[in-house]
Amino acid sequence: MSATGFLRVLAVDDEPPALDELAYHLRADPRVARLHTAGDATEALRLLRDGDVDVVFLDIRMPGLDGMELARVLRRFARPPAIVFVTAYDDGAVDAFDLGATDYVRKPVRAERLAESLRRVIGSRVVPSHPAALARAEEDPTIPIELAGTTRMLPRSAVRWVEAQGDYARLHTADGSHLVRVSLATLAERWADAGFVRIHRSYLVQLKLIAELRLVNSGYVVVIDGTELPVSRRHTRELKDKLVRAAKQDWNR
């Protein structure tokens, strides 16, 4: 990406009308210096082999190698481009943030929404291939959330605790909460290495944010940001052990 912020962009979609509309909006943006288009993953890989690209706007459901599979290939590039998924569906959102996508745009695309995506690409990846930038993206992935019909990317580090709501999960942050279509069990598995621990069948919390573990009546609660969350009996011993280990690590630093 050049210092002026002009972008080299690749748009990939197997449906010609959708690809034409996406290309039209991208060409109209002054930050796009060069635009290539591809109708499938094979053509996209050929274009990427022939020249560097800063960002790929990528459909998900395509014949052959689909968008998610192509994104996994792109992550292994020596100089991987930023990824913006453009799709008519929201069931790929969880996999999108696992892959470190910069944005997740719902079809039909709007010019102002694509302009916001380009702003995020420029703002979050000034030099997309820089190792430090890539490390930060991997350490703090983003979660796509729906706000008034717009998909926003929430940093995982902003999440204080997670509450199960059926097949959904509510992510609690310092300034509110957001409902996402992913189960608590899935997040518990994927976020374990980031310090999130299961304290109850309905709650997942960031261990380092626990201010207190308190005995109340016949059970325990933890306190995060002044809020009491129940700890189930089956998770109490494991939680105590993790708190002790975390305290010892902090003491020995």
Side-chain angles (χ1 to χ4, degrees):
M1 189 182 300
S2 69
T4 60
F6 286 158
L7 295 166
R8 298 160 293 182
V9 180
L10 172 61
V12 187
D13 198 311
D14 67 304
E15 298 180 356
L19 183 59
D20 290 345
E21 181 182 19
L22 179 59
Y24 172 79
H25 289 307
L26 289 171
R27 286 194 180 99
D29 194 294
R31 293 166 293 187
V32 176
R34 187 171 73 239
L35 175 69
H36 297 289
T37 61
D40 56 35
T42 300
E43 186 180 3
L45 288 169
R46 179 182 60 78
L47 291 168
L48 288 162
R49 180 194 63 200
D50 294 340
D52 289 335
V53 168
D54 296 308
V55 54
V56 179
F57 284 79
L58 182 58
D59 187 25
I60 292 180
R61 297 192 180 182
M62 298 187 296
L65 200 68
D66 68 22
M68 289 294 178
E69 292 167 333
L70 177 57
R72 292 186 180 96
V73 172
L74 299 183
R75 287 193 69 182
R76 297 198 292 266
F77 278 28
R79 300 178 64 185
I83 299 293
V84 174
F85 287 107
V86 183
T87 177
Y89 309 94
D90 60 6
D91 56 0
V94 174
D95 289 332
F97 79 73
D98 272 352
L99 288 169
T102 302
D103 207 351
Y104 191 92
V105 179
R106 292 287 302 278
K107 295 179 180 178
V109 297
R110 295 177 289 110
E112 59 270 26
R113 185 66 183 87
L114 290 179
E116 170 67 11
S117 289
L118 291 170
R119 185 194 66 77
R120 292 180 187 181
V121 170
I122 294 171
S124 66
R125 296 194 172 202
V126 177
V127 183
S129 59
H130 194 283
L134 291 176
R136 286 194 297 272
E138 292 178 357
E139 290 171 2
D140 192 15
T142 54
I143 306 100
I145 58 173
E146 293 291 331
L147 292 172
T150 299
T151 304
R152 302 290 186 187
M153 305 305 282
L154 177 74
R156 182 177 62 189
S157 60
V159 178
R160 318 290 283 179
W161 77 88
V162 185
E163 180 182 1
Q165 294 194 348
D167 293 332
Y168 290 73
R170 182 166 294 280
L171 311 179
H172 291 267
T173 67
D175 56 1
S177 66
H178 309 280
L179 195 65
V180 294
R181 185 178 294 180
V182 58
S183 70
L184 191 73
T186 297
L187 290 180
E189 179 181 350
R190 295 182 177 181
W191 290 5
D193 291 342
F196 283 84
V197 297
R198 194 79 174 261
I199 62 168
H200 188 277
R201 67 180 181 179
S202 298
Y203 292 99
L204 179 71
V205 305
Q206 174 55 268
L207 185 71
K208 66 182 180 182
L209 298 180
I210 294 176
E212 293 181 35
L213 174 64
R214 180 189 305 160
L215 181 61
V216 177
N217 297 325
S218 60
Y220 282 88
V221 298
V222 296
V223 180
I224 298 180
D225 296 339
T227 300
E228 293 185 354
L229 302 174
V231 180
S232 66
R233 189 169 300 173
R234 67 185 294 259
H235 288 100
T236 298
R237 171 53 57 191
E238 182 181 5
L239 177 61
K240 286 181 177 180
D241 290 343
K242 288 182 177 179
L243 286 170
V244 169
R245 287 199 299 269
K248 287 180 178 178
Q249 289 175 355
D250 290 340
W251 182 262
N252 292 327
R253 283 177 182 171

